[in-house]
Amino acid sequence: HLASAVRANGETYLARQSFRAPFHLSKPYWDGRVLHVQLVNSTAGILAGDELELDLAAEPAASLAVTTPAAARAFMMQSGAACCRQRFAVGEGAWLEYAPEALYPHRGTDYAQHTRLELAAGAATFFTDQLAPGRVGRGECWAWRRLCIGLEIVQEGRLLLRERLDASGSELARLAVFHGMREAWFGTAVVAAPALAAAAPVWESVRALHCEGCLCGVTALAPGVCIVRLVASGGLALRDTFAALRTTLASAMPGLQSDLRKL
């Protein structure tokens, strides 16, 4: 659990933090625009019986960027399951960027993840999520037993989106074939910027990222809130497209002008 707030001089700092294994927080640093925090799972990965809880808040006018240094791995579970509950709250006039590395579901895993993103009036965010088809380098694709990923987006108390993917690896493999890809890597970006209209010219540049090897689509959920979907033929293609998306939107979203270093 952590919350960022603003000092009298305009700097964002961690006002509250509480964590225990498997989570660890890096030492935060202020780059003059946003406060950077790395969230680390110091264990090998997610195992049967694990219950993870993550609660991040950017309080009014705060500016926070949270990344992870490595992929999340949900390991084989011969019995039982694991789950993760995540809540992200972006206060009035605040900025939150959440850019984790991809989730890799291993053979036989049973993993559920539910995310709730709460946006106050004037809140801005670039919130991303990535899903790998498995350990491709080991020849292990679409081999998990069950994967359940839910997302809710709430703006000023009003539900904008509630969705859930609940599928076996073989079911998602068929979806990949539908997109013409044997190895489909899925990405989602929630983009909230009060001054960014759905008809703004920058969205034409975003849609131009749609190409052979990486499909890109944009849907407006509400004024100032859009969701971008990516389906890529490989992990590098997805990473490069996310980096291009971030660069494209940076002209309209000043928080993205900070260097995450890993991109």
Side-chain angles (χ1 to χ4, degrees):
H1 295 194
L2 67 84
S4 60
V6 180
R7 301 186 192 276
N9 64 0
E11 291 186 2
T12 297
Y13 71 104
L14 288 187
R16 298 183 301 279
Q17 58 176 305
S18 172
F19 59 90
R20 64 183 183 185
F23 291 117
H24 176 74
L25 296 179
S26 69
K27 183 178 180 181
Y29 70 96
W30 171 253
D31 71 355
R33 189 185 300 273
V34 301
L35 180 73
H36 293 258
V37 176
Q38 272 205 338
L39 182 66
V40 182
N41 183 339
S42 55
T43 67
I46 301 166
L47 304 172
D50 284 351
E51 295 185 15
L52 310 178
E53 180 179 315
L54 180 62
D55 192 299
L56 303 183
E59 296 186 352
S63 185
L64 177 66
V66 179
T67 61
T68 62
R73 297 186 178 276
F75 287 106
M76 176 184 287
M77 301 174 190
Q78 294 182 349
S79 62
C83 66
C84 176
R85 292 176 294 275
Q86 305 182 129
R87 173 182 172 268
F88 301 85
V90 192
E92 185 172 352
W95 163 258
L96 172 67
E97 179 173 7
Y98 183 64
E101 292 292 316
L103 169 66
Y104 284 73
H106 286 213
R107 181 184 304 277
T109 195
D110 187 335
Y111 176 66
Q113 176 179 289
H114 181 266
T115 302
R116 181 178 172 90
L117 177 60
E118 301 175 358
L119 305 173
T125 190
F126 184 70
F127 183 94
T128 64
D129 194 25
Q130 304 179 55
L131 174 64
R135 295 189 297 175
V136 177
R138 296 289 187 91
E140 185 179 294
C141 259
W142 317 116
W144 64 80
R145 186 166 73 250
R146 181 172 182 251
L147 188 66
C148 182
I149 298 179
L151 173 64
E152 287 185 353
I153 304 174
V154 177
Q155 183 184 44
E156 298 181 59
R158 183 168 70 96
L159 182 66
L160 300 184
L161 176 74
R162 176 180 287 146
E163 64 177 16
R164 186 175 73 165
L165 167 71
D166 190 345
S168 65
S170 58
E171 288 171 323
L172 217 56
R174 289 194 290 272
L175 180 60
V177 171
F178 173 80
H179 288 297
M181 301 176 187
R182 187 182 70 85
E183 300 171 6
W185 296 62
F186 297 95
T188 295
V190 180
V191 180
L196 188 58
V202 70
W203 291 116
E204 289 304 314
S205 299
V206 170
R207 291 184 176 92
L209 298 175
H210 182 92
C211 62
E212 185 177 354
C214 191
L215 312 180
C216 175
V218 181
T219 301
L221 300 178
V225 183
C226 290
I227 190 164
V228 181
R229 304 289 195 184
L230 302 175
V231 184
S233 58
L236 289 178
L238 183 61
R239 173 183 287 269
D240 290 347
T241 305
F242 262 124
L245 174 63
R246 193 174 184 274
T247 299
T248 300
L249 291 171
S251 61
M253 304 177 74
L256 294 179
Q257 295 171 16
S258 287
D259 183 9
L260 294 185
R261 298 191 295 179
K262 71 172 186 177
L263 294 179

